[in-house]
Amino acid sequence: MVEFFINDQPVQAEDNQTVMQAARANGYFIPYFCWHPQLSVPGNCRICMVEVTNEGQAAGSGWLDIACNMPITKGMRVLTDSEKVRSRRKETLQFITLNHPVDCGICDKAGECTLQDYHYEYNGSPSISREPKVHASKHYKLSERIVLDNERCIMCTRCVRFTREISKSDALGVLNRGDHSLIRPVEDGRFEHDAYSDNVIDICPVGALLSTQFLHKARVWYLQPTASVCPGCERGCTVNIWHRKSEWKLKALDARQNARIDRVTPLENPAVNGPWICNKGRDLAQILGRARADQAMLKGRPVDLPTALASARALIGAARRPVALVSNWGSNEELAAYQQALGGRFTSFVKTDWQPAPGEPVEDGLLIKADKNPNTAAARALFPPLPADAGSAFPADTDLVLVWGEGYSFAQLPPRAKIIYLNSWLQPENGHADVFLPISVMTERRGHYTNFEGTVSAFEPCFASAPGVAHAQDLFAALATRAMAVST
Ligand code: SF4
Ligand code: SF4
Ligand code: FES
């Protein structure tokens, strides 16, 4: 450890740390644009200037240097917020905004933009330039997912370094020099295929890189993030699901906007995904926003939930050889509830709810895993996997199958067996089941998933379930009451 001084206070730093790293580790704030804790250090934006003084030297008589690339030395004295530092930051911001359009009113980044924040903290003045701003391309399409506003770009090169150092696609670069510099994709289209491309939207410190899905859809202050887990593969990345705040509920326009996923962003978790997620995680609305089933049925005939439950209980009570296919999208709590309530009554196997979709990246060395289900590890800790050969799973006298979740064709079930089906989505199989019970999805309840490395992550509810939809955990308890009574 090395002792040095920040704002005249002694602090400890690791050997080889920079002033930026040591200051952050000790709770001191230094602004930055181009620096990112997971990327190399280009030192190009100069906003992180600090003043370095000798012992006994007054503030204002030291020298200025960038904190992000300055190694700590023993006894060093750093001032992070002196008059000299604030004056240089103001000059730096005046330079950076010479050609920036300052169109915050229509910019998706407004409310989350560090340039906006630093401008109010350190500058606050209109542009000092008498020259007209240099205009550049607006809405330049980098890929189907991302558009670039070159006028807003401050050339921090974070996006370029991300594709070189993290996603390894080498898909972005800087074209031309000086105030003609432009971020451009490599012309072979590889940015389109970068499975992590949307992370550049998050790390762009300004509103230059924008999601086409989210563009002009909502101001961020109308939205709230709810901590959740991506169910897209067994990595189980920690994410924030953004949805409309209840106080900003729309009353006149399409009310479905009040209960939809507006965007998904990473929630930094060093134990699982660091600060990144893949593009599939961004697209959770496509998985969780599918048409929902909210009507219990008996062979396709709509009934209320208590009637459907009574029929399911009767089937369970009468069955001689019941088999269950357990969902690997069920939460730890639901799996435990199933095991406690029905695990002793059914021969249970874990099925695979989701297979890789055509064209989907199957696995890589960064985050994406081949198993496209969130809770296989926890499910298989309780029950064996479903054998590939259906004959081994279903003995000839199987007379009842409980299917929990999607992904298993009814055509593979024993033809004479009765079927109890628990599912969340509007699918043709629902009407073919003897008893169909609509269940909630993860954005409507609280729970935990265990990823392939054994890390347990929590998810929280974002929306209320529709009337007629039940939580699987409650259904298992309700089904057990009578089933046990019948079997004793
Ligand atoms: S587009 Fe954003 S991340 Fe990329 S260089 Fe410009 S400001 Fe930086
Ligand atoms: S790596 Fe897997 S868990 Fe993480 S965001 Fe992508 S699909 Fe979701
Ligand atoms: S953050 Fe240090 S130069 Fe950009």
Side-chain angles (χ1 to χ4, degrees):
M1 298 293 279
V2 182
E3 185 179 78
F4 77 115
F5 297 86
I6 298 181
N7 300 341
D8 295 326
Q9 299 301 311
V11 293
Q12 300 289 322
E14 307 276 346
D15 293 340
N16 303 323
Q17 273 190 320
T18 61
V19 171
M20 177 70 84
Q21 289 168 325
R24 281 164 57 90
N26 285 280
Y28 290 90
F29 173 73
I30 298 172
Y32 54 89
F33 287 124
C34 67
W35 182 79
H36 186 284
Q38 303 275 329
L39 300 175
S40 58
V41 180
N44 65 26
C45 76
R46 320 306 282 180
I47 195 68
C48 66
M49 288 279 181
V50 290
E51 184 177 355
V52 185
T53 59
N54 294 319
E55 192 170 359
Q57 200 177 8
S61 53
W63 73 93
L64 293 170
D65 209 339
I66 54 172
C68 66
N69 204 29
M70 184 171 25
I72 296 294
T73 55
K74 187 165 179 280
M76 178 180 219
R77 307 186 82 84
V78 173
L79 300 174
T80 63
D81 205 33
S82 65
E83 272 310 307
K84 189 169 182 167
V85 166
R86 291 183 78 88
S87 161
R88 178 57 58 88
R89 284 182 193 155
K90 178 169 181 158
E91 291 162 3
T92 304
L93 284 163
Q94 286 171 339
F95 176 74
I96 287 175
T97 50
L98 273 183
N99 293 315
H100 186 89
V102 203
D103 54 351
C104 310
I106 56 157
C107 179
D108 268 9
K109 197 78 169 189
E112 299 179 322
C113 174
T114 40
L115 179 58
Q116 202 177 50
D117 294 344
Y118 296 166
H119 172 79
Y120 283 110
E121 178 65 27
Y122 300 111
N123 184 9
S125 313
S127 175
I128 54 169
S129 174
R130 283 173 299 180
E131 302 299 324
K133 290 185 188 251
V134 173
H135 290 292
S137 48
K138 310 280 281 183
H139 291 271
Y140 181 91
K141 189 171 159 185
L142 284 184
S143 70
E144 287 297 326
R145 305 179 63 91
I146 301 173
V147 289
L148 164 64
D149 185 320
N150 279 107
E151 290 186 344
R152 294 181 190 153
C153 172
I154 61 168
M155 275 299 147
C156 72
T157 69
R158 276 180 168 194
C159 55
V160 175
R161 283 174 285 135
F162 175 84
T163 67
R164 288 190 185 158
E165 298 164 19
I166 305 295
S167 71
K168 304 276 194 333
S169 65
D170 273 328
L172 297 177
V174 180
L175 185 71
N176 301 328
R177 293 190 175 195
D179 60 10
H180 287 20
S181 299
L182 297 169
I183 298 297
R184 283 291 176 267
V186 178
E187 287 174 354
D188 62 8
R190 68 179 78 162
F191 193 55
E192 199 71 70
H193 304 292
D194 184 330
Y196 297 91
S197 64
D198 286 22
N199 289 290
V200 301
I201 300 167
D202 301 331
I203 63 173
C204 180
V206 296
L209 295 172
L210 301 165
S211 160
T212 47
Q213 289 174 26
F214 187 62
L215 192 63
H216 306 321
K217 291 283 192 316
R219 307 315 317 231
V220 292
W221 49 88
Y222 294 151
L223 306 179
Q224 74 177 76
T226 296
S228 193
V229 182
C230 173
C233 78
E234 62 173 342
R235 172 76 58 184
C237 293
T238 313
V239 295
N240 268 326
I241 293 182
W242 294 78
H243 51 100
R244 210 161 175 92
K245 287 178 179 167
S246 54
E247 63 266 37
W248 286 108
K249 249 186 187 165
L250 293 167
K251 296 197 175 94
L253 298 173
D254 185 352
R256 282 176 300 183
Q257 292 187 43
N258 298 322
R260 74 170 185 203
I261 296 173
D262 283 291
R263 68 172 179 176
V264 178
T265 55
L267 182 54
E268 184 160 357
N269 183 349
V272 178
N273 52 301
W276 319 118
I277 56 171
C278 80
N279 290 350
K280 183 180 182 184
R282 311 265 172 184
D283 296 340
L284 282 190
Q286 290 173 17
I287 297 174
L288 298 174
R290 287 176 292 156
R292 293 290 303 282
D294 58 4
Q295 175 65 61
M297 291 187 282
L298 300 179
K299 274 280 178 202
R301 180 169 58 84
V303 293
D304 60 20
L305 203 53
T307 306
L309 271 173
S311 296
R313 281 193 208 105
L315 288 177
I316 295 170
R320 296 280 165 245
R321 186 69 79 111
V323 174
L325 305 183
V326 172
S327 169
N328 56 357
W329 282 58
S331 67
N332 294 354
E333 293 78 2
E334 290 173 329
L335 291 164
Y338 169 80
Q339 186 191 33
Q340 190 186 0
L342 300 172
R345 181 80 179 99
F346 285 80
T347 303
S348 308
F349 299 102
V350 179
K351 69 176 168 54
T352 299
D353 287 26
W354 273 60
Q355 302 287 353
E360 176 180 359
V362 174
E363 183 150 20
D364 63 19
L366 184 52
L367 296 177
I368 298 171
K369 300 293 292 175
D371 183 345
K372 305 302 179 189
N373 302 278
N375 216 17
T376 307
R380 290 199 184 165
L382 298 176
F383 308 107
L386 179 64
D389 157 31
S392 329
F394 305 110
D397 56 346
T398 302
D399 53 356
L400 174 65
V401 183
L402 184 150
V403 184
W404 173 15
E406 53 190 334
Y408 198 80
S409 165
F410 283 12
Q412 295 174 266
L413 297 176
R416 281 187 294 280
K418 300 283 185 191
I419 302 170
I420 300 173
Y421 189 30
L422 279 69
N423 184 27
S424 305
W425 315 104
L426 209 52
Q427 287 170 344
E429 290 84 357
N430 304 355
H432 295 299
D434 293 276
V435 180
F436 173 71
L437 299 165
I439 52 172
S440 58
V441 294
M442 61 179 294
T443 43
E444 296 164 358
R445 55 187 154 81
R446 182 164 277 117
H448 294 82
Y449 284 143
T450 304
N451 83 349
F452 71 106
E453 293 175 310
T455 305
V456 177
S457 303
F459 56 85
E460 296 290 325
C462 308
F463 315 114
S465 299
V469 171
H471 299 310
Q473 195 172 339
D474 300 336
L475 290 183
F476 296 139
L479 289 173
T481 321
R482 181 66 185 279
M484 293 309 155
V486 167
S487 62
T488 52

